Amino acid sequence: MARVRKNMAMQGLTGLLGDQFLMRTDKAGRTIVSSRPVFKEGRAFSQAQADHQEAFREAALYAKGAKDLEVYIRKAERTPQNAYNIAVADWFSPPEVKEVDLSEWDGQAGQVIRVRALDDVKVERVEVALRDAQGTVLEQGPAQAADESWWTYTTRAQASGATQVLATAWDLPGHSGQLTAQTT
């Protein structure tokens, strides 16, 4: 990609140039030149394209209502993107639970289970559920934020035998990611 700097003929130019080029200026003041989009009438979209268009409609609807949130405004500062763009991208990027740390928990009540959860903008909440070998929920509840990526959950009940620990993280758009850890 070519970069032109301090070109007085191009700087600030917007609109169509002939029938070939579309020029616009982004938030950072850069002039973007691209080929003119061409849309054929009567074109047919594949199911995957139709699904993506529907997902983008949902993302745009979310971003319209969320673009004024402080977290998106701060994330857009000093970038060429605006808060709306950040909110759309956040909608498409669900959180990930990267790790469930059971090193400080041996099945006793009052011990800590740590969860590392990440998102491109913010992990809104994390919930932990403990299940026995038959899948019965022994306990569940919200974890507390410890720092940028780590959350802590303090157990309330004693668990013996094989126990499954399910950690679920949610982001601002309401999407979730999960990770399961197993004790023996």
Side-chain angles (χ1 to χ4, degrees), residues 60-130:
L61 185 61
Y62 168 75
K64 282 180 184 178
K67 69 182 185 327
D68 295 326
L69 294 177
E70 185 65 29
V71 67
Y72 292 126
I73 293 168
R74 271 189 280 114
K75 185 97 172 159
E77 288 174 355
R78 295 180 300 282
T79 72
Q81 297 182 322
N82 58 35
Y84 176 86
N85 299 136
I86 301 290
V88 167
D90 191 28
W91 193 92
F92 279 105
S93 301
E96 293 180 73
V97 178
K98 293 291 196 178
E99 184 178 349
V100 177
D101 178 10
L102 303 176
S103 64
E104 298 177 23
W105 181 65
D106 63 7
Q108 301 301 311
Q111 294 178 329
V112 173
I113 296 173
R114 294 179 354 119
V115 176
R116 188 166 70 96
L118 302 173
D119 187 60
D120 58 334
V121 175
K122 178 184 177 187
V123 174
E124 181 69 10
R125 65 187 168 100
V126 172
E127 193 167 295
V128 175
L130 279 63

Side-chain angles (χ1 to χ4, degrees), residues 11-184:
Q11 190 173 7
L13 202 56
T14 61
L16 282 173
L17 181 61
D19 245 5
Q20 294 183 0
F21 298 109
L22 175 67
M23 290 172 275
R24 64 183 178 85
T25 304
D26 71 3
K27 179 180 151 187
R30 299 178 300 187
T31 301
I32 311 294
V33 180
S34 62
S35 55
R36 179 177 180 233
V38 178
F39 302 108
K40 296 178 185 171
E41 286 190 38
R43 64 186 172 195
F45 296 108
S46 69
Q47 187 60 47
Q49 288 172 320
D51 291 346
H52 186 72
Q53 289 171 0
E54 181 58 31
F56 198 84
R57 275 187 207 94
E58 291 175 20
L61 185 61
Y62 168 75
K64 282 180 184 178
K67 69 182 185 327
D68 295 326
L69 294 177
E70 185 65 29
V71 67
Y72 292 126
I73 293 168
R74 271 189 280 114
K75 185 97 172 159
E77 288 174 355
R78 295 180 300 282
T79 72
Q81 297 182 322
N82 58 35
Y84 176 86
N85 299 136
I86 301 290
V88 167
D90 191 28
W91 193 92
F92 279 105
S93 301
E96 293 180 73
V97 178
K98 293 291 196 178
E99 184 178 349
V100 177
D101 178 10
L102 303 176
S103 64
E104 298 177 23
W105 181 65
D106 63 7
Q108 301 301 311
Q111 294 178 329
V112 173
I113 296 173
R114 294 179 354 119
V115 176
R116 188 166 70 96
L118 302 173
D119 187 60
D120 58 334
V121 175
K122 178 184 177 187
V123 174
E124 181 69 10
R125 65 187 168 100
V126 172
E127 193 167 295
V128 175
L130 279 63
R131 295 186 175 133
D132 64 15
Q134 291 74 36
T136 304
V137 175
L138 302 171
E139 68 175 280
Q140 69 181 34
Q144 303 302 313
D147 62 30
E148 283 293 312
S149 62
W150 285 98
W151 295 70
T152 59
Y153 176 76
T154 305
T155 59
R156 298 181 311 268
Q158 184 171 334
S160 59
T163 305
Q164 183 184 65
V165 179
L166 173 66
T168 307
W170 282 270
D171 64 2
L172 290 169
H175 298 117
S176 64
Q178 296 181 330
L179 184 65
T180 302
Q182 186 81 30
T183 66
T184 53

